[in-house]
Each structure stands twice: as C-alpha cells, then as structure tokens.
C-alpha cells in the first residue's frame, strides 16, 4: 500500500520461479542438518542455564554494589538468551527434528509471562502466516498503533509514541495481553466465553509463578540483600523487555518494509507468499554477537521465509537469499541496530500525526496478475 | 510430617525457584546419571568383536534396576543429531562387579543406529536408557539339559545367559557365515576347552543354511533339552514347527529381533487410533485434510508447514513429507506435521 509497489516489475512466472529457488535453499539446509546443529543448541541451552545460575548466585550478595552490577548484567543476558535464541526458536519447531522431548516445541516453556502454548498460536500461526497483512497480523502495531499511511488516523494515535514506550518497558505483559487478544475479548459477551477464560487463567497462573520467582522467592533467598535482589531482577526484566521490543520493532517497522491488504492475499501462491515475507521483513546488520543476542532475528527476512530452519543456519542462508533479492531487483531492507531502531521509532512518531491520503493507489496484486 | 511429605514440600519450593524450568533441568547439568534423573547411561568403552560387531560398555544411571539374563534394553542414541531408539540384548552377566552393562551390536546394512554404535560411538557419550525388559530368560528352576540354538547376532541374549549361570550340560548350535563372523568366538572356545560347553558351529557360507532336521544328528537328545533359540525369522519359524511336530513345543523359547519392517509406499490405509476411524488415503493429500474429511478432530494452524500447530504422534507406519519427499517412520515419540505429510503406506495417527 506504499505509493509504488516495489514488486510491480515481476511477472507471475518470475514469482513462482523465485519460490522454487527459495524452496531449493530450504531443502539444502534440511538435508545438511545434523550433529553440529544439535550440539549448537545444546551448548547454548547449557550456557544459558549456567549463566543464570551463576548470576542468581552472585545476586545473593547484591547488597555489595559490584555483585549487584555483575549479577544484574548476567541475569539480563541470561533472560535475553532464554527468550530469543532459545525460546523463540524452539517454539518455532526449529529443533523438533532432533526428537529430543526436552528440546521440543510441544514441551518447551520459557521465562516469559505468556504461556508457550498461547504464544505459539498468535505468533507462529497468525503472525507468520499473515505477515504484515493489515487486520490479520496483529503484530502490526499490536492493535494499539497506526503503522501505515493508509490506516485511518484517530486522535488516540497522538499518544502512540508514549504507548509504544510503555509497551517496550513491559513488553512481556504486552505480548501476553496480545496473545489473549485482550482488546477484542474484553467486551462483555466475549469475556464470558469459557475458552477465553481458560486462556486468561493460564496467563494468570504463569504471571503468578514468574512474579513469585523473580520478586519474592529469589529476594527472600538473598536475606539481607532482599531489596537489591528485587531491584536487580526488575532491572533484568526491564533490560530484556527493552531489548526484545527493539529487536522486534526492527523486524517489520523500519521504513521500506511493505504492508499488505487483506484481499491481496486471497488465493496467494507459494511464490507470492514468499514474496510477501521478503517485502514485509527487515534485517539488522552486525557482528556474530549481535546476531546471537537477537536470537538471530537480525536475520528476520530469512526467518520469515523459513521459520522452522535452525537459527544457527540463518547466517549462511542470508547470503543466498540476498543474492535472490539482487537477482529479482528487490530491496533488502537492512541496517545496523541504531539505524533500524531509529527508523522504526521515526515511523511511530510520524504516523501519530494525520497525513494526506496518498495520491497513487497501488493496484491490487491480484488484479495485476490477472492483467499480466 | 513424614520425611517424604517434607521432601515433596522442599521439591515444590525448589520448583518455584526454577520456574518455568524444573530443578532437574539444572541438576542434569552436573549429574545426568544421578538417582532421580531420567534414566541415562554413559558409554565407557567400545570393544570390537568381529569386523562388523562391537561390544558397548555402558555405565547406567543410578536409577537402573538391573536385568535378568537374556533380557534386552531399549537405548536412545543421537545419530546425526536425531534421537533414535533401538533395543539390544544385554550381554553382560547380572552380577558384574563394576555395575556396568554391555550390549553387543552387529552393524546391519543401512542400520543407522547399529552402524553408529559399532563404528562411530565415542566413550563419554550420554545415551538414553529404558529399564531392561523381555521374557526370553532362564527359569527359576535349573533345567538338567540345555540347548542354545542361535544364528548371527541372535547369540547376544544367549551370551548374557552363558555368562550368567553355569549348567551341567549345555549344548550350543550357532550359525554364522564364516568362522570370523562368530561373535564371542574366543570366549566360546575357552568355555569348550574348560568343558563347560559343547559347541557346534555351522558356517553357512560353506555348509549352507542349517537344516533343522540335521539337529537329530548334531544334538541327538535335542527333544529332551530346554531350548532357547534366537536368530532370523526363518530359523525360528523352522524351529517352532519342528518342536511342535515332535510335541515338545513347551521346551522351546524364542526371541525375535526386528519384528516389523516398514515398507514405505505411496498412500495407504490411515488409522486414527484415538477416534477409531480408518480411511484410505492417497500419497498426495495431507493427512490433516484426510482426517478432517473423516470427521476427526485435527489440530491445525497455518496449514502450510510453518507453525507446528498440527504436530501429532505417528504410532505406526510411515509418512512422506510433501515438501521434501523425506520419509518418516513411526517410532516412539515421533511427531509429524499432518498438514505437510501424506501416507507412505499404511499408518496410524494418534487422533
Ligand atoms: S498447520 Fe501449521 S505446521 Fe501444520
């Protein structure tokens, strides 16, 4: 719905050919999946657990400032690892092929207030199937923000920079509310729906456990360090929330990323689906450490094309995917983290204000294909 | 409060400390073989037996309950990163002083696990274990005369018996292609030298397959002996027939390896075992569609293989991944994505 459709130069055949080339990349990785990949995820999980143990241990003495600093930093990193490289990717089924029931999308639970089961539905199923389709993909603005010129402006949107900031600080709660589709489910009739109530209960249970652990049990274990430990856990959760929120914003919000209309995905072919993922996602460039700390979501484009490939393979896949972008003359949206974060926030601010309706409307891809 | 109640209280408290993980997730980092852990074992050594067989020495976790001679154990081994489960007879005696157990594995053609164990397994590797099982065992009361009738790797459970208990009168007839293929040959010959065993080796490459009628000549009193037989199906079928014909079938105990071999085809009869429905499926329609059409409640999501919202246990048979053509065979714990899998022969889906 941007003024000019950046894929307009592609014919229907080209799009299907592109799909086949992407399938070939996928098949190659799957055929080569093996021992090394399994060792990788095991190593990451074990490192995360050790880091968390040590950090929590250090925080028992957080009454001493250096211990507080060290423990807080360690716990923040451990929580980020748990959510990003481990939790997000395991829940995508990226490691199901190992047949290890302990590292499996059906059994994994993460350090997050949204229960895995619910998150898998809203994220894996809705967001990944309907990526960037307005009205179908709630990740677009999380239902509280206006993220595209074509969306109707409302005075409520004036506050969206603030909503976005608050959401960033309490991101895990935002996600839990979002997985529950709270906005839509809070009206009287839906609130009573037993299925919704069961899900809300599950979230309540998870929140209780998480809060009890972070803000009661561990501080209590610290005895005289009660308050510093409480502060440390709060800080670690805040750091994790701000970090994941930033990374996630970089995935679909930076300038240059396309959004789509509901009717444009009717009868979508595999090639068209791939193309939408390519145009609807953005990457973050940077070092190996950066890719690791983002859970390889810095390779958001590759992740959206192949959500079930092991995350440690995205870097090698990215080289091939990027070549395809060049071959088909498409823009590969990427940039360093600060630039992408700025770009996303810029959009949030810009669209908090009303804009003129764009003059040139993109023709529907469907109609276009019929014409082609 | 009793001590168990106290312990379970403490454990609950510990669970609160480690939520959403479990205390065992952390304890496994340091003590994967400790009491109370999921049963595992550590490979301590791999000793070659013949060109294609090796004995694996395993130190079982503290939860190991011990075995009876002749039993097998299911082990889960990671081969190329994928956990695969197989059953192997235990070849060590029940009273081994160091508490280790051994299995002896013969690499079979295209056998993923057997080849891995014989040729690539490294000491130090953790494997998953089940408790030992199987009723191919010796009776409480000692029989006066015993016959062991074995072929190939069928000797393995019998070796566990031979090493465990001495009988006064034991005869063994063992078949293998050539002398160098006889697993445990040196040990067997030592037993013969010590007069603890009478052994007949049948070398099938030169002597041909064992004709069961030849038993009269090899072991004239075979019908009086309590017999344990283990080997390929052909041998066991013949033995069962022979023993029944002579009306002494209650003296024969058999153990069959690899009872079912899945033949992957194109389409087949799909059973939804939880619902009790059976329908015919072609090799191109996703099982998700097949199930829904049959009125089975199938979980689903994206319907295109990306969300993993449709994973379901495959209880039996084989399925083909419609995207890659890859075949997945049923094994305990195997889950498939029904939206991108089609029947590759008859299969059973737990829905
Ligand atoms: S329904 Fe989404 S993977 Fe099968």
């Amino acid at each position: 719905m941007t003024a000019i459709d950046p894929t307009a130069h592609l014919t229907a055949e080209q799009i299907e050919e592109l799909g086949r080339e992407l399938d070939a990349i996928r098949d190659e990785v799957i055929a080569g999946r093996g021992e090394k990949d399994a060792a990788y995820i095991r190593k990451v999980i074990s490192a995360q657990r050790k880091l968390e143990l040590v950090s929590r241990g250090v925080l028992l003495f957080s009454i001493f400032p250096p211990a507080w600093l060290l423990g807080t930093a360690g716990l923040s990193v451990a929580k980020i690892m748990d959510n990003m490289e481990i939790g997000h990717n395991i829940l995508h089924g990226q490691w199901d092929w190992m047949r290890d029931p302990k590292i499996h999308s059906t059994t994994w639970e993460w350090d997050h207030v949204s229960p895995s089961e619910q998150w898998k539905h809203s994220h894996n199923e809705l967001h990944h199937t309907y990526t960037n389709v307005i009205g179908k993909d709630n990740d677009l603005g999380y239902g509280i923000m206006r993220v595209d010129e074509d969306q109707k402006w409302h005075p409520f949107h004036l506050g969206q920079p603030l909503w976005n900031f608050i959401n960033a600080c309490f991101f895990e709660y935002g996600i839990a509310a979002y997985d529950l589709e709270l906005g839509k489910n809070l009206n009287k009739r839906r609130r009573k729906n037993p299925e919704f109530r069961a899900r809300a209960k599950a979230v309540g249970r998870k929140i209780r456990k998480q809060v009890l652990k972070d803000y009661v049990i561990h501080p209590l274990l610290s005895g005289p360090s009660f308050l510093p430990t409480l502060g440390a856990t709060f800080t670690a959760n805040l750091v994790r929330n701000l970090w994941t929120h930033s990374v996630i914003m970089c995935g679909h919000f930076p300038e240059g990323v396309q959004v789509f209309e509901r009717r444009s995905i009717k009868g979508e072919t595999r090639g068209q689906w791939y193309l939408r993922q390519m145009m609807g996602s953005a990457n973050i460039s940077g070092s190996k450490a950066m890719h690791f700390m983002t859970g390889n979501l810095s390779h958001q484009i590759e992740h959206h094309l192949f959500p079930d490939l092991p995350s440690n393979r995205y870097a090698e896949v990215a080289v091939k995917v990027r070549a395809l972008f060049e071959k088909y003359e498409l823009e590969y949206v990427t940039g360093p983290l600060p630039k992408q974060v700025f770009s996303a926030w810029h959009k949030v601010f810009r669209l908090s204000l009303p804009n003129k309706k764009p003059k040139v409307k993109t023709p529907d891809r469907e109609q276009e294909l019929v014409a082609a | 409060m009793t001590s168990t109640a106290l312990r379970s209280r403490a454990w609950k408290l510990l669970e609160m400390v480690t939520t959403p993980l479990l205390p065992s997730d952390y304890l496994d980092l340091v003590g994967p073989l400790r009491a109370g852990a999921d049963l595992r074992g550590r490979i301590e050594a791999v000793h070659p037996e013949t060109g294609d067989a090796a004995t694996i020495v395993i130190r079982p976790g503290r939860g190991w309950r011990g075995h009876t001679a002749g039993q097998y154990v299911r082990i889960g081994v990671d081969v190329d990163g994928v956990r695969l489960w197989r059953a192997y007879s235990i070849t060590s005696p029940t009273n081994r002083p160091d508490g280790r157990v051994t299995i002896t594995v013969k690499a079979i053609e295209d056998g993923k696990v057997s080849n891995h164990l014989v040729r690539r397994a490294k000491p130090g590797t953790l494997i998953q274990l089940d408790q030992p099982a199987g009723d191919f065992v010796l009776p409480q009361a000692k029989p006066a005369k015993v016959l062991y009738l074995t072929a190939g790797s069928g000797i393995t459970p019998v070796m566990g018996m031979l090493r465990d208990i001495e009988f006064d009168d034991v005869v063994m007839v063992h078949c293998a292609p050539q002398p160098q293929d006889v697993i445990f040959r040196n040990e067997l010959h030592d037993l013969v030298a010590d007069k603890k065993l009478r052994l007949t080796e049948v070398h099938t490459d030169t002597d041909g397959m064992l004709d069961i009628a030849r038993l009269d000549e090899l072991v004239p009193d075979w019908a009086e002996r309590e017999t344990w037989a283990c080997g390929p199906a052909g041998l066991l079928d013949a033995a069962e027939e022979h023993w029944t014909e002579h009306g002494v079938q209650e003296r024969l105990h058999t153990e069959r390896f690899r009872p079912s071999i899945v033949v992957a085809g194109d389409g087949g009869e799909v059973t939804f075992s939880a619902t009790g429905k059976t329908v015919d499926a072609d090799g191109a329609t996703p099982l998700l569609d097949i199930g829904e059409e049959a009125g089975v409640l199938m979980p689903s999501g994206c319907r295109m293989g990306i969300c993993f919202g449709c994973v379901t246990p495959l209880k039996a048979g084989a399925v083909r991944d419609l995207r890659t053509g890859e075949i997945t065979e049923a094994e305990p714990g195997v889950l498939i994505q029904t939206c991108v899998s089609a029947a590759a022969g008859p299969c059973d889906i737990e829905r």
Side-chain angles (χ1 to χ4, degrees):
Chain A
M1 287 190 300
T2 336
I4 296 155
D5 177 4
T7 64
H9 61 284
L10 297 179
T11 65
E13 289 78 48
Q14 279 178 312
I15 295 175
E16 290 326 296
E17 177 57 22
L18 168 66
R20 278 189 293 276
E21 288 179 82
L22 285 166
D23 275 339
I25 295 177
R26 181 175 185 278
D27 291 352
E28 210 182 310
V29 174
I30 290 196
R33 249 178 355 197
E35 209 168 303
K36 268 200 198 145
D37 305 282
Y40 170 78
I41 191 66
R42 292 218 166 89
K43 200 172 87 192
V44 173
I45 290 173
S46 129
Q48 190 276 339
R49 285 179 185 165
K50 286 175 190 153
L51 179 62
E52 180 173 352
L53 270 180
V54 170
S55 307
R56 300 255 189 205
V58 170
L59 284 176
L60 296 178
F61 310 97
S62 53
I63 203 161
F64 307 109
W68 190 92
L69 262 179
L70 202 68
T72 308
L75 188 58
S76 303
V77 173
K79 279 182 174 262
I80 287 171
M81 283 168 75
D82 172 274
N83 277 194
M84 308 294 273
E85 183 67 347
I86 302 175
H88 170 267
N89 294 332
I90 290 178
L91 293 178
H92 260 294
Q94 289 182 6
W95 305 97
D96 281 15
W97 58 273
M98 286 162 57
R99 298 189 185 171
D100 181 344
K102 302 221 162 173
I103 308 179
H104 200 277
S105 64
T106 53
T107 56
W108 193 264
E109 193 52 82
W110 56 349
D111 184 57
H112 196 284
V113 294
S114 179
S116 296
E117 212 40 57
Q118 299 195 20
W119 182 82
K120 272 192 295 183
H121 170 71
S122 62
H123 180 86
N124 289 5
E125 191 184 326
L126 301 182
H127 169 58
H128 272 271
T129 313
Y130 302 113
T131 312
N132 282 23
V133 177
I134 290 191
K136 287 224 129 193
D137 176 7
N138 292 330
D139 269 34
L140 263 184
Y142 305 108
I144 53 171
M145 285 191 298
R146 181 169 175 262
V147 289
D148 189 72
E149 271 81 0
D150 274 5
Q151 282 175 304
K152 219 174 141 227
W153 181 83
H154 189 276
F156 171 81
H157 291 126
L158 278 175
Q160 75 177 21
L162 182 64
W163 318 146
N164 197 34
F165 179 68
I166 296 174
N167 187 31
C169 295
F170 300 99
F171 195 47
E172 58 172 327
Y173 290 89
I175 296 278
Y178 157 83
D179 291 346
L180 275 175
E181 299 186 83
L182 261 198
K184 156 166 133 201
N185 280 320
L186 270 189
N187 70 45
K188 268 215 191 96
R189 197 165 45 82
R190 296 222 191 177
R191 216 164 31 193
K192 297 238 168 69
N193 174 326
E195 194 250 352
F196 168 71
R197 293 178 73 113
R199 288 197 298 130
K201 255 214 188 119
V203 174
R205 246 194 327 268
K206 189 82 194 285
I207 292 181
R208 205 163 47 241
K209 279 190 181 171
Q210 289 288 109
V211 167
L212 204 62
K213 165 180 84 158
D214 274 350
Y215 300 127
V216 180
I217 308 260
H218 281 283
L220 276 178
L221 286 175
S222 304
S225 297
F226 181 91
L227 278 182
T229 300
L230 188 101
T233 342
F234 181 81
T235 309
N237 278 331
L238 183 70
V239 169
R240 189 257 316 262
N241 286 346
L242 288 172
W243 176 256
T244 45
H245 179 266
S246 300
V247 171
I248 306 282
M249 281 237 298
C250 292
H252 301 290
F253 290 166
E255 303 285 357
V257 170
Q258 309 293 308
V259 296
F260 306 87
E261 275 186 80
R262 237 179 229 256
R263 57 191 167 141
S264 74
I265 62 160
K266 255 216 226 114
E268 199 175 49
T269 64
R270 182 147 183 87
Q272 289 169 331
W273 182 84
Y274 268 137
L275 186 61
R276 176 156 58 81
Q277 305 304 325
M278 293 167 81
M279 303 317 296
S281 315
N283 279 6
I284 304 168
S285 57
S287 63
K288 273 213 169 118
M290 171 67 97
H291 294 311
F292 179 76
M293 288 309 284
T294 62
N296 277 297
L297 288 180
S298 47
H299 298 299
Q300 187 77 232
I301 298 173
E302 290 73 22
H303 172 57
H304 262 268
L305 290 169
F306 314 115
D308 60 344
L309 290 189
S311 58
N312 59 323
R313 293 302 194 87
Y314 284 143
E316 71 187 62
V317 164
V319 180
K320 298 179 194 164
V321 168
R322 199 164 182 163
L324 283 185
F325 268 84
E326 264 156 39
K327 176 172 169 194
Y328 289 92
E329 294 170 24
L330 298 166
E331 192 198 351
Y332 190 80
V333 182
T334 183
L337 184 78
K339 178 179 158 236
Q340 298 298 79
V341 170
F342 176 80
S343 173
W345 272 100
H346 186 247
K347 198 179 203 174
V348 170
F349 272 93
R350 183 159 58 75
L351 294 171
S352 66
L353 301 171
N355 54 282
K356 273 195 278 180
K357 272 248 151 201
K359 281 190 209 90
V360 208
K361 276 276 303 184
T362 329
D364 234 5
R365 158 124 336 258
E366 232 179 320
Q367 294 165 8
E368 199 186 307
L369 287 179
V370 174
Chain B
M1 216 178 331
T2 66
S3 71
T4 25
L6 207 66
R7 210 170 316 140
S8 91
R9 271 269 176 99
W11 194 253
K12 282 247 166 63
L13 197 74
L14 211 53
E15 277 176 6
M16 284 161 89
V17 173
T18 60
T19 189
L21 299 181
L22 296 171
S24 59
D25 291 324
Y26 291 96
L27 293 173
D28 283 353
L29 288 176
V30 286
L33 301 183
R34 70 185 196 285
D38 290 356
L39 190 57
R40 303 185 182 92
R42 196 185 289 286
I43 296 181
E44 287 196 334
V46 180
H47 302 303
E49 295 282 356
T50 63
D52 57 2
T55 289
I56 321 285
V57 182
I58 299 165
R59 175 183 162 206
R62 296 277 298 278
W64 177 255
R65 289 203 285 264
H67 74 284
T68 308
Q71 283 193 313
Y72 62 86
V73 59
R74 269 177 22 97
I75 67 172
V77 191
D78 294 334
V79 180
D80 293 332
V82 182
R83 181 155 308 163
L84 300 173
W85 287 84
R86 296 288 186 274
Y88 292 106
S89 297
I90 299 172
T91 47
S92 50
T94 51
N95 54 358
R96 206 178 137 123
D98 63 2
R100 310 298 192 251
V101 289
T102 64
I103 54 172
T104 303
V105 180
K106 182 172 183 291
I108 52 173
E109 209 184 307
D110 295 329
K112 280 191 194 154
V113 177
S114 61
N115 278 291
H116 177 88
L117 286 173
V118 171
R119 310 195 198 284
R120 287 176 47 210
K122 294 253 154 29
T125 309
L126 271 187
I127 57 173
Q128 314 296 312
L129 287 182
D130 263 358
Q131 295 293 352
D135 44 18
F136 185 70
V137 293
L138 298 173
Q140 294 286 344
K142 265 194 187 187
K145 295 166 143 200
V146 170
L147 165 63
Y148 293 130
L149 177 60
T150 58
S153 59
I155 196 170
T156 53
V158 166
M159 200 62 201
M161 296 175 174
L162 269 178
R163 285 170 171 168
D164 204 56
I165 300 170
E166 273 180 34
F167 293 105
D168 303 332
D169 183 356
V170 192
V171 181
M172 174 184 254
V173 177
H174 178 66
C175 312
Q178 299 181 54
Q180 63 266 36
D181 297 320
V182 175
I183 310 174
F184 312 120
R185 192 157 195 247
N186 289 341
E187 194 175 340
L188 291 174
H189 285 209
D190 286 349
L191 286 173
V192 171
D194 291 352
K195 305 231 172 338
K196 289 181 178 161
L197 174 71
R198 274 185 289 150
L199 173 69
T200 305
E201 283 181 43
V202 179
H203 301 136
T204 52
D205 274 2
T206 43
D207 311 344
M209 286 299 191
L210 173 71
D211 175 4
I212 205 80
R214 272 187 67 209
L215 262 186
D216 285 335
E217 146 210 341
L218 297 173
V219 191
D221 59 351
W222 65 268
E224 291 160 30
R225 294 177 175 269
E226 200 72 18
T227 302
W228 281 268
C230 183
L235 175 72
L236 299 183
D237 291 345
E240 273 166 7
E241 211 172 288
H242 194 66
W243 260 254
T244 311
E245 238 166 59
H246 291 79
V248 286
Q249 62 270 37
E250 75 287 344
R251 297 227 173 106
L252 178 68
H253 314 274
T254 57
E255 169 103 310
R256 287 169 189 269
F257 288 148
R258 307 220 298 150
S260 63
I261 291 173
V262 178
V263 188
D266 200 18
E269 190 169 81
V270 183
T271 309
F272 296 93
S273 44
T275 328
K277 285 212 168 104
T278 302
V279 284
D280 271 328
D282 60 39
T285 314
L287 290 163
L288 175 59
D289 297 346
I290 301 279
E292 285 178 343
E293 250 160 60
V296 178
L297 199 62
M298 303 288 287
S300 72
C302 65
R303 310 187 77 93
M304 56 188 293
I306 60 163
C307 77
F308 286 69
C310 60
V311 290
T312 301
L314 175 65
K315 303 298 276 185
V319 300
R320 177 177 284 107
D321 188 314
L322 289 167
R323 300 164 299 178
T324 57
E326 200 186 345
I327 299 283
T328 301
E329 286 176 19
E331 263 179 62
V334 166
L335 298 156
I336 53 157
Q337 289 169 280
T338 59
C339 71
V340 286
S341 303
C347 52
D348 182 338
I349 313 291
E350 196 184 81
R351 283 290 169 206

